[in-house]
Amino acid sequence: MLTNSLALATILFIIGALGVLIRRNAIILFMCIELMLTSVNLAFVALSRSIGIEGQVFVFFVMAVAAAEAAVGLAIVISLFRHYETVDLKNFNLLRW
Amino acid sequence: MIDTLWWIFAGVAVGSALLTITRKNPIASLLCLLVTFVSLAAIFVLLEAHFLAAMQVIVGAGAMLVLFLFVLMLLNLGNDYRADLRGAGWIIAGCAAIGAIGSVVWRAVGGDARALTLEVEGAAMKATPTANAVAAIGQPLYQDFMVEIQLTAVLLLVAVIGAVLLAKKRV
Amino acid sequence: MEFFESTSLKLILGAIVLLPLLGFVLNGLTAFRAPERKTIPSVVGPAVMVTAFVLALTVFLRMLGADLHHPIIHSYWSWIPVGNLQIDAALQLDQLSILMTLIITGVGSLIHIFSIGYMKSDPGYARYFAYLNLFVFFMLVLVLGASFPMMFVGWEGVGLCSYLLIGFWFKDREKADAGKKAFIVNRIGDAGFIIAMMLIYANLGTLSFAEVMEAAPAAFVYGGALVTAITLFLFVGATGKSAQIPLYVWLPDAMAGPTPVSALIHAATMVTAGVYLVARAGVLFALAPVTQVVVAGVGVLTALFAATIGLAQYDIKKVLAYSTVSQLGYMFLGVGIGAYSAGVFHLMTHAFFKALLFLGSGAVIHAMHEAFHHTHKDWDAQDMRNMGGLRKYMPITWATMWIATLAIAGVWPFAGFFSKDEIIWLTAASAVGPYAGWYKLYWAVALIAAMLTAFYMTRLMVMTFHGENRSGEKEQKHIHEVPAVMWIPLAVLAVLSVVGGWINVPHAVADLPVLGWLPSSEWLHHWLHPVTAVADEILANGRGPLAEVAPLGGGAGTWAVVSFAIAVTVILIAAKTIGSRTYRPAVESAEPAGFFRVLNRKWYIDELYDTVVVRPVVAISRALWKFVDQGVIDATVNGLGRGARIVGWAGARLQTGQLNTYAFVLIVGVLILLGYIVF
């Protein structure tokens, strides 16, 4: 089951990365990032069965940080929306300068 | 028995993940993600990480996705179904990228996924018995990882303040 | 002897060289700040020259009493210390260099004084004296330098000043071009000089005169290829500076400068630098008999060639220019056959009478110019066809120029007789050994050239001063003698042209009946003996003793009488022939025709050089400019710039500002790293 779980984690990670690359809606982008983080959690948990409890502890922290990051990120999206009336990433190119 | 369940939940997870990234409607996308999270939680249970399974549902599904939903509703998104997928070029590039990732991982595990067994000496089943799942995590957390806990607490505090400040209409 | 080693001599030598430089600085400052002030340059210019002359004279008088056998070298500072090459800024005092210094400062002072009158109304007065002083400074460095590089500094410097002074009236395009021509042709010769210096250093490891002349007899094989090559390259440099074939073409054009400049630079000093070089490196030349034949041959050929052209010129200064080229040919004939003291003797006497001739012609031009200016006639003030009969208007000039003419034609007892006759006799006497045939030929050519010299100089005098005046009725009233500041130097030079030859009367002449009235001294020969001793010995060993009898028979005394008689005869014939012709003013004269035209057009040499050398060089330069400089080098540099811009443009395409792009790049980067590790 370890092997299969790692494979599953990889596949979910790949799907999340693909989502980040091809979605234009900022919020959906965030969701795909969460998916990637969760897939990593799965990998940690699968490996902790063999190696030790530290894996699960780490997953705990990952979840905490993911939650915090989601909160702040969404706050940013909201202030962006207030400015530009859209969350379509196609319109945001301030990073160019 | 466990294997069968594992396969079922894995299939559901992958399927709903694929749906997540391809839905036009953001709400539909979010709900698919919810299904993914829940099936992953089930897989955690099968991997005997009960506490984490509960955490996954409570925090991941319960808190984060609800937050996403609130924001979606707040910004009144999800009413228009215009496709917000990027152009064809992007899709092709994306598939190429993930193909590359897959090949890297495949190579990393020696080309034969079934051969992956990671047996550390005498470390089999290091996960403690299911009798006290919370204590299994709680004890190392508060004994060995005390500093990390405190730092995470500070991080959460900062995140809360930041989120509040950013989202205010007037500072 | 202690005087010569002392610091007082060191200071005196330094002062002799640096006083003209000080004059340059002061006059130059005047030229910058207050160009219209004429008193400062009038005082400073000649004063530094006279002071330098007096100092040189005191050193000379001290040297007369002492009996120096080795040159005195005073080193001022270490100039080029590079590895094994140690060149100091040093001055060398020996009999030859003090003689040259006296000539330069003495004749130079007279010319400076003359210039006060000649350039009186020129707006560039201060600049003129500044350049003139600078020229004398460099010339003194040239003759007093103790090593080849020091001499070369002076060599280049006088070339620069020659350019500045020839193109003095640079606003006139032709005059500026003449300056450029002089400088560029000189440079071609300088390349030969530099190659020779490199060869000397490569083989002897030193470049100072004393050490080179000491090491050369042992280091070089007599008549060997190496020393022949070195001396030929040195001679190339000499042909450039001293206007011999093929690099003489700049000197006639150099007449575009003010006449005193022509007197100083192109008669008395700069053009003699080549002769001085051969005399200074006499040991090297003595070791290479082939080069000697070449030097003497080029010299005598130039003497003949230039004399033929001088016969057909109408511009008074051009006649004198070709006369200078011709007389320089005689000097090279002298030093070429190994008669260094004879060549230097002719150098000295030539300085006197040629400077006198040029200054005299300057006086004539000055007077004609003023006359034409008064009547607003725009005739050429230098064309002899516009002159004539000036004897009654300018008697002092007439008399002094006749003295110079008799001197240059070789009439006893004037200066040129002794020097020219000695060279011609020694050419005949050198017809021994392996190259005897050549020297016999040179002797014959030299005699012919002497006849031509007498002819064209008489022609000049007759056309200018005798016969009917062709300037016009009104102009005649305005022609008058030049002021004292201008005719006093003429008189001094005339006296020198008379007595200058008496310091080196050969024994053979002193034994003659009438002509032997002057005591024989051969003083100059003895004076320069310490300098030429080593070379004389090598020549005696290599060539054998000199002949006693000329190829056609007769000893030294006989031929002295013969050449005197030839000179007088030719002068009389020329006076009769030219005097009986009627000339018309230049604007009314017919164009020259036939062979005379070829001579008048200088054998079309300038046109030949233009087609064979100048045009191909310009074409090659243009091709190189278009295809190499613009096509390759500029293209490469510009291409690099364009390439950088393209790379920048490509890089800018990555900066889209879109989040997805950055995520993509992130993933690609991570993949590359992982791939590198995993694969």
Side-chain angles (χ1 to χ4, degrees):
Chain A
M1 193 151 44
L2 170 63
T3 315
N4 299 339
S5 303
L6 287 180
L8 175 64
T10 311
I11 293 174
L12 286 177
F13 186 84
I14 289 179
I15 295 176
L18 186 64
V20 165
L21 288 177
I22 68 175
R23 298 296 300 219
R24 277 201 329 238
N25 193 326
I27 301 178
I28 309 291
L29 200 86
F30 265 114
M31 284 165 31
C32 298
I33 292 177
E34 295 301 326
L35 180 59
M36 287 159 77
L37 282 168
T38 312
S39 73
V40 170
N41 285 351
L42 174 62
F44 272 116
V45 167
L47 282 171
S48 84
R49 272 186 95 198
S50 315
I51 299 182
I53 198 66
E54 287 82 3
Q56 297 188 9
V57 170
F58 197 72
V59 170
F60 185 86
F61 287 125
V62 169
M63 273 194 220
V65 170
E69 165 229 340
V72 173
L74 284 172
I76 293 175
V77 167
I78 292 179
S79 24
L80 271 179
F81 180 81
R82 287 224 191 88
H83 216 275
Y84 287 93
E85 292 294 322
T86 175
V87 291
D88 191 336
L89 283 179
K90 194 174 58 179
N91 304 323
F92 301 140
N93 61 1
L94 285 174
L95 277 174
R96 187 153 33 160
W97 310 119
Chain B
M1 173 66 176
I2 292 188
D3 273 345
T4 326
L5 280 176
W6 189 94
W7 277 105
I8 295 174
F9 284 123
V12 170
V14 171
S16 59
L18 282 171
L19 284 178
T20 310
I21 69 170
T22 53
R23 298 292 97 202
K24 275 188 288 200
N25 191 345
I27 308 283
S29 186
L30 190 140
L31 289 174
C32 292
L33 189 63
L34 176 67
V35 170
T36 313
F37 278 8
V38 170
S39 49
L40 276 181
I43 295 185
F44 283 175
V45 169
L46 291 176
L47 287 174
E48 305 196 6
H50 305 284
F51 181 67
L52 284 180
M55 291 296 312
Q56 177 77 356
V57 173
I58 295 174
V59 171
M64 280 203 291
L65 288 186
V66 170
L67 183 58
F68 274 107
L69 191 61
F70 277 171
V71 171
L72 278 174
M73 297 295 187
L74 183 66
L75 302 184
N76 216 1
L77 296 171
N79 283 338
D80 48 359
Y81 296 151
R82 277 173 307 135
D84 66 341
L85 286 178
R86 289 210 158 237
W90 274 104
I91 296 180
I92 295 174
C95 293
I98 62 163
I101 298 177
S103 65
V104 169
V105 176
W106 185 264
R107 182 76 172 72
V109 301
D112 190 359
R114 277 177 300 261
L116 186 67
T117 49
L118 196 63
E119 296 296 338
V120 182
E121 291 294 320
M125 295 297 287
K126 269 286 190 67
T128 21
T130 47
N132 197 351
V134 182
I137 292 209
Q139 266 178 342
L141 200 60
Y142 280 91
Q143 283 169 3
D144 300 328
F145 297 98
M146 193 59 198
V147 177
E148 285 81 348
I149 286 274
Q150 305 304 321
L151 287 176
T152 313
V154 171
L155 174 75
L156 288 172
L157 176 66
V158 168
V160 166
I161 297 175
V164 168
L165 263 176
L166 280 170
K168 272 167 88 79
K169 275 216 163 77
R170 236 184 252 172
V171 179
Chain C
M1 193 61 195
E2 315 77 48
F3 167 68
F4 294 108
E5 307 282 342
S6 65
T7 28
S8 28
L9 180 65
K10 192 167 174 174
L11 288 172
I12 293 178
L13 280 179
I16 294 176
V17 171
L18 288 177
L19 274 170
L21 185 65
L22 176 68
F24 162 67
V25 171
L26 292 173
N27 289 328
L29 284 172
T30 316
F32 263 118
R33 301 294 192 74
E36 65 287 344
R37 299 261 300 260
K38 298 211 158 73
T39 38
I40 298 178
S42 307
V43 169
V44 169
V48 294
M49 292 297 298
V50 174
T51 318
F53 176 68
V54 169
L55 287 173
L57 198 59
T58 49
V59 174
F60 173 68
L61 291 171
R62 290 295 282 258
M63 283 176 80
L64 278 180
D67 195 17
L68 292 173
H69 286 281
H70 294 283
I72 308 286
I73 301 179
H74 279 284
S75 168
Y76 290 85
W77 70 85
S78 175
W79 177 32
I80 304 181
V82 177
N84 289 333
L85 182 63
Q86 298 286 333
I87 303 177
D88 290 346
L91 296 180
Q92 172 168 329
L93 179 70
D94 64 5
Q95 289 83 352
L96 178 61
S97 56
I98 195 66
L99 182 70
M100 298 291 298
T101 309
L102 283 173
I103 296 174
I104 295 168
T105 48
V107 176
S109 310
L110 292 169
I111 294 177
H112 275 72
I113 296 173
F114 182 87
S115 302
I116 298 177
Y118 189 81
M119 300 292 286
K120 192 174 51 156
S121 52
D122 193 292
Y125 192 76
R127 180 166 61 103
Y128 172 83
F129 274 101
Y131 288 158
L132 219 60
N133 281 136
L134 185 68
F135 168 81
V136 175
F137 162 71
F138 277 122
M139 193 70 206
L140 288 171
V141 170
L142 198 159
V143 298
L144 284 170
S147 57
F148 279 101
M150 278 297 282
M151 186 178 176
F152 194 64
V153 169
W155 190 273
E156 293 288 289
V158 298
L160 167 70
C161 294
S162 170
Y163 159 78
L164 289 171
L165 284 164
I166 293 173
F168 185 69
W169 293 304
F170 53 83
K171 300 209 169 88
D172 185 336
R173 178 63 192 263
E174 259 182 48
K175 299 186 163 70
D177 282 348
K180 267 195 301 187
K181 184 172 180 177
F183 194 77
I184 293 174
V185 175
N186 261 211
R187 271 329 241 152
I188 301 175
D190 294 346
F193 194 121
I194 295 178
I195 294 176
M197 269 205 288
M198 291 188 210
L199 284 171
I200 292 175
Y201 176 66
N203 286 289
L204 291 178
T206 175
L207 281 170
S208 80
F209 289 131
E211 289 170 21
V212 168
M213 301 310 152
E214 209 175 292
F220 294 127
V221 173
Y222 178 80
L226 182 58
V227 70
T228 309
I230 291 178
T231 43
L232 279 176
F233 279 119
L234 282 176
F235 182 57
V236 168
T239 53
K241 191 63 80 184
S242 296
Q244 297 296 291
I245 293 175
L247 297 174
Y248 71 91
V249 289
W250 62 269
L251 201 146
D253 283 31
M255 296 300 116
T259 311
V261 167
S262 307
L264 181 63
I265 299 185
H266 309 125
T269 42
M270 183 179 101
V271 293
T272 57
V275 182
Y276 171 76
L277 171 66
V278 177
R280 184 50 89 195
V283 173
L284 293 174
F285 280 88
L287 285 167
V290 175
T291 313
Q292 286 194 302
V293 174
V294 172
V295 172
V298 170
V300 77
L301 179 64
T302 310
L304 181 66
F305 182 74
T308 58
I309 301 182
L311 281 176
Q313 298 298 313
Y314 287 121
D315 187 325
I316 191 173
K317 282 178 74 173
K318 285 272 173 29
V319 177
L320 292 175
Y322 285 105
S323 171
T324 305
V325 176
S326 179
Q327 296 301 309
L328 285 167
Y330 272 106
M331 290 181 224
F332 275 103
L333 176 63
V335 293
I337 60 178
Y340 300 112
S341 58
V344 174
F345 184 31
H346 195 59
L347 192 161
M348 190 179 84
T349 56
H350 176 263
F352 298 149
F353 54 68
K354 192 43 72 62
L356 173 54
L357 281 170
F358 267 112
L359 291 184
S361 72
V364 168
I365 294 171
H366 187 84
M368 298 293 294
H369 205 83
E370 266 190 40
F372 287 144
H373 194 70
H374 265 282
T375 57
H376 301 286
K377 202 165 179 178
D378 63 345
W379 280 7
D380 187 1
Q382 297 183 224
D383 197 315
M384 290 193 291
R385 293 174 291 189
N386 295 337
M387 303 178 192
L390 293 183
R391 170 184 174 181
K392 50 183 193 281
Y393 303 107
M394 306 176 70
I396 305 180
T397 314
W398 169 80
T400 49
M401 281 192 78
W402 258 115
I403 294 177
T405 305
L406 291 174
I408 195 175
V411 173
W412 181 90
F414 297 93
F417 168 72
F418 296 101
S419 56
K420 194 190 288 192
D421 179 66
E422 189 175 344
I423 291 178
I424 297 179
W425 165 250
L426 284 172
T427 310
S430 303
V432 295
Y435 299 103
W438 289 101
Y439 289 119
K440 285 186 198 154
L441 176 66
Y442 296 161
W443 175 68
V445 175
L447 283 173
I448 298 175
M451 287 191 246
L452 292 177
T453 306
F455 193 94
Y456 67 67
M457 284 312 300
T458 314
R459 170 176 176 266
L460 184 147
M461 293 302 291
V462 169
M463 276 183 86
T464 309
F465 289 103
H466 294 265
E468 289 291 321
N469 180 267
R470 297 181 283 276
S471 313
E473 293 288 328
K474 290 186 293 199
E475 288 70 22
Q476 285 171 21
K477 299 196 194 62
H478 294 286
I479 304 179
H480 52 79
E481 186 58 84
V482 288
V485 76
M486 287 169 78
W487 66 252
I488 290 182
L490 294 180
V492 173
L493 284 170
V495 170
L496 285 171
S497 298
V498 176
V499 307
W502 296 355
I503 62 173
N504 202 29
V505 180
H507 295 290
V509 176
D511 292 336
L512 290 173
V514 170
L515 300 188
W517 169 72
L518 290 159
S520 102
S521 53
E522 298 205 354
W523 175 82
L524 189 66
H525 188 76
H526 290 304
W527 171 250
L528 287 177
H529 182 72
V531 179
T532 58
V534 179
D536 291 338
E537 199 182 309
I538 298 175
L539 281 168
N541 285 342
R543 188 185 54 193
L546 292 174
E548 295 291 323
V549 175
L552 290 179
T558 325
W559 281 99
V561 175
V562 169
S563 55
F564 170 47
I566 293 179
V568 173
T569 319
V570 172
I571 290 179
L572 290 172
I573 295 178
K576 195 105 191 305
T577 322
I578 305 293
S580 62
R581 286 202 202 152
T582 35
Y583 286 100
R584 309 287 307 146
V587 293
E588 300 168 26
S589 292
E591 276 289 308
F595 185 62
F596 188 77
R597 184 196 181 93
V598 174
L599 294 182
N600 184 263
R601 297 276 185 269
K602 312 162 275 173
W603 296 87
Y604 297 108
I605 291 287
D606 275 325
E607 287 79 359
L608 178 71
Y609 278 3
D610 189 51
T611 324
V612 172
V613 178
V614 175
R615 266 173 230 258
V617 169
V618 171
I620 293 176
S621 304
R622 203 162 277 153
L624 280 176
W625 168 69
K626 253 213 157 60
F627 297 117
V628 177
D629 189 38
Q630 273 193 337
V632 174
I633 299 177
D634 277 357
T636 312
V637 173
N638 288 347
L640 281 175
R642 242 179 284 124
R645 286 186 68 184
I646 291 175
V647 169
W649 172 86
R653 303 283 292 179
L654 278 177
Q655 299 281 336
T656 55
Q658 306 274 328
L659 210 61
N660 302 72
T661 312
Y662 296 147
F664 181 62
V665 174
L666 190 77
I667 290 177
V668 169
V670 170
L671 273 177
I672 291 175
L673 279 174
L674 279 180
Y676 180 69
I677 296 175
V678 167
F679 287 105

